[in-house]
Amino acid sequence: MLADMVMPSSRPSAHGTTPVAEATSCAAPRERADACPGALRLHRADDGGLARVRVPGGVLDVAQAAALHAAATRLGSGELHLTSRGNVQLRGLREDAGPDLAELLSSAGLLPSPAHERVRNIVASPLSGLDGSGHRDVAGQLTELDQLLCESEALRELSGRFLFAVDDGRGDVAALGADVTLLAEPDGTALLYFGADRDAGVLRVADEHAAAAAVVAAETFLDAARESGLRAWRVADLAVTGAELARRTALRLGAGVREAPLGSLPAAPALGPRAEQIRTAQITEAPVPGPVTGPSGAVALSVLAPLGRLTGRQWELLTRTAEREGDGTLRMTPWRGVVVPGLTRSRASGVRTALGAAGLVTDPASPWRGAGACAGRPGCAKSLTDVRADAAAALARPGPVPGPGSGSFALPVYWSGCERRCGHPRGDRVEVVAGADGYRVAVVRGTGEELPVPVPAGSDPGAAAAAARVPEDGGPHRDDGTGHGGGALAGAAARESNRPSERSGGRAPAREDSATAGP
């Protein structure tokens, strides 16, 4: 397998070699207009400039976290927004902030290759190596993938929306519908597959070559896009199937990889009883707020940022905690949370109390858990309302929210300021969408099927959304073979028609970030 592998096209390592002056220029030329913002190409929003800083795997050291805090406070609004890919957004940037921002980020190592800065989109299992779950720690694989991506001349042409996922075998980020996913197996191999298609072809590659294979897979996607003449941003935009992309990738990787089985992703029990749910994105397992104790006794603390937004003081507290109490790193999660690794057991409780007092979510039963919203007004001109304020007011009202140990399950809820619904999560969820006549509420399946929830005139849409999140049978949501599952989905189906709404047909993939109504 090793001798016959074709390595990705590369150039000398770009890590730390590109001058800052180059970093202020545009990204590599594209045949299509990809308006996805970056750290060097800012988006002009109603509240000022918006920068999206890619953080592969969501991993920051304290110096990088401090640089982001400095950028937010000196150049922008002072807030930092977490995205649905574990990246960080800065808003309210002044008009001339570009060069200063590039200097700050480059000095902290956050721009290893300016030409690739918008394509370093990698999510990874945030608790990998911390809690004893998963098949192995994927930190090394994550670092290698990022470096190989930045060394590939071809991958400069990827869209800023193309996504890689590195899953340690627990199935959390494998459920996010990445364009290229690496899923660790217990036998020292990794499964590689394209997109969210449950029937996509799958390659099995040696773990030590998985990162290189993922880069070859992305290069294969670009070749297919050029051949088709399509302006494809993501795998789902191609007419070529995932199985065909896997076949072409196997041919490029060599005979050893071609000998691996190609076909459907193994069903349960090969990937465990959750395999089908993971592949259809019916569940995404975010880290639960609170302490996470690993096999060695070290503790990581998982917290959530309400609606993905952190004040400068909250970010500074997290950074200081990581430096003084933890291992010097922070891990942003695709669920708008932060994991602080490396705490001692004796100090973890005090750290949790301090972060909770600062307004971060540390309680698994908090109504903020699983709640998201787009940017809304005043930051987005397309929004019909200040959706974040409305969502916050609704979540602050008392009401039962199931948590761990309650024997029940709450669907995520997402508030949108307009029909674009920027950044809505994958999988089953409750949506609250602003319209000209107020908010409408619906339970939406991962398939796109929409089940409206009645909101009588003059009543509170937040209360309707809260009720829709909670299963009527008090049990966890699961697919019961009826097509609706149990709990909230079954209840909504019983109240409304079984037909998919007209809006659900042919939906484009969700925009990257629910922390902003991006361009």
Side-chain angles (χ1 to χ4, degrees), residues 51 70 76 106 180 248 253 284 361 364 370 390 394 414 488:
S106 181
V180 173
R248 296 182 188 185
L253 289 173
T284 53
V361 177
D390 293 344
Y414 194 77

Side-chain angles (χ1 to χ4, degrees), residues 376-377 380-387 416-419 434-439:
R377 289 184 181 176
C380 178
K382 294 181 173 63
S383 179
L384 300 176
T385 184
D386 185 348
V387 69
S416 299
C418 73
E419 289 291 340
D437 299 323
Y439 285 102

Side-chain angles (χ1 to χ4, degrees), residues 109-126:
L110 288 166
L111 293 176
S113 175
H116 293 81
E117 66 97 2
R118 293 191 312 127
V119 304
R120 297 171 68 221
N121 293 305
I122 310 173
V123 293
S125 300

Side-chain angles (χ1 to χ4, degrees), residues 62-107:
V62 291
Q64 293 171 330
L68 287 169
H69 179 263
T73 53
R74 296 178 197 171
L75 307 175
S77 68
E79 295 182 339
L80 299 98
H81 297 249
L82 307 185
T83 80
S84 59
R85 294 182 170 188
N87 295 322
V88 177
Q89 286 189 167
L90 309 176
R91 299 190 69 100
L93 296 169
R94 63 178 193 245
E95 192 168 348
D96 62 348
D100 288 342
L101 177 62
E103 177 67 44
L104 276 169
L105 299 181
S106 181
S107 297

Side-chain angles (χ1 to χ4, degrees), residues 249-506:
T249 301
L251 290 174
R252 293 184 61 175
L253 289 173
V257 174
R258 282 203 303 269
E259 293 171 0
L262 294 177
S264 296
L265 187 67
L271 289 178
R274 297 180 298 116
E276 285 304 304
Q277 290 176 303
I278 289 170
R279 292 294 290 127
T280 56
Q282 297 301 320
I283 59 171
T284 53
E285 296 189 344
V288 175
V292 178
T293 303
S296 67
V299 178
L301 184 64
S302 170
V303 301
L304 294 176
L307 301 182
R309 181 167 55 186
L310 291 165
T311 67
R313 292 186 65 181
Q314 288 171 330
W315 185 272
E316 191 174 30
L317 176 60
L318 284 165
T319 304
R320 187 168 63 249
T321 300
E323 182 176 24
R324 298 178 181 177
E325 306 282 357
D327 67 0
T329 66
L330 295 170
R331 299 187 186 187
M332 313 301 113
T333 81
W335 299 275
R336 294 165 197 86
V338 182
V339 177
V340 185
L343 305 174
T344 62
R345 189 172 300 188
S346 62
R347 300 283 294 171
S349 178
V351 169
R352 181 181 186 181
T353 298
L355 295 181
L360 297 169
V361 177
T362 62
D363 180 1
S366 169
W368 294 94
R369 183 182 174 194
C374 71
R377 289 184 181 176
C380 178
K382 294 181 173 63
S383 179
L384 300 176
T385 184
D386 185 348
V387 69
R388 285 178 173 269
D390 293 344
L395 291 165
R397 286 191 282 272
V401 175
S406 67
S408 55
F409 172 93
L411 289 173
V413 60
Y414 194 77
W415 291 67
S416 299
C418 73
E419 289 291 340
R420 296 197 311 162
R421 302 172 303 115
C422 294
H424 68 74
R426 290 178 55 84
D428 301 335
R429 60 194 179 272
V430 176
E431 289 195 359
V432 188
V433 182
D437 299 323
Y439 285 102
R440 63 175 180 80
V441 181
V443 176
V444 182
R445 285 185 58 83
T447 59
E449 181 181 9
E450 193 168 291
L451 306 169
V453 174
V455 183
S459 65
D460 179 10
R469 296 182 70 188
V470 181
E472 295 186 347
D473 59 5
H477 165 64
R478 59 176 59 87
D479 188 346
D480 60 2
T482 67
H484 297 295
L489 290 178
R495 292 190 296 268
E496 299 294 335
S497 167
N498 186 25
R499 277 181 326 196
S501 75
E502 294 180 358
R503 289 180 59 250
S504 66

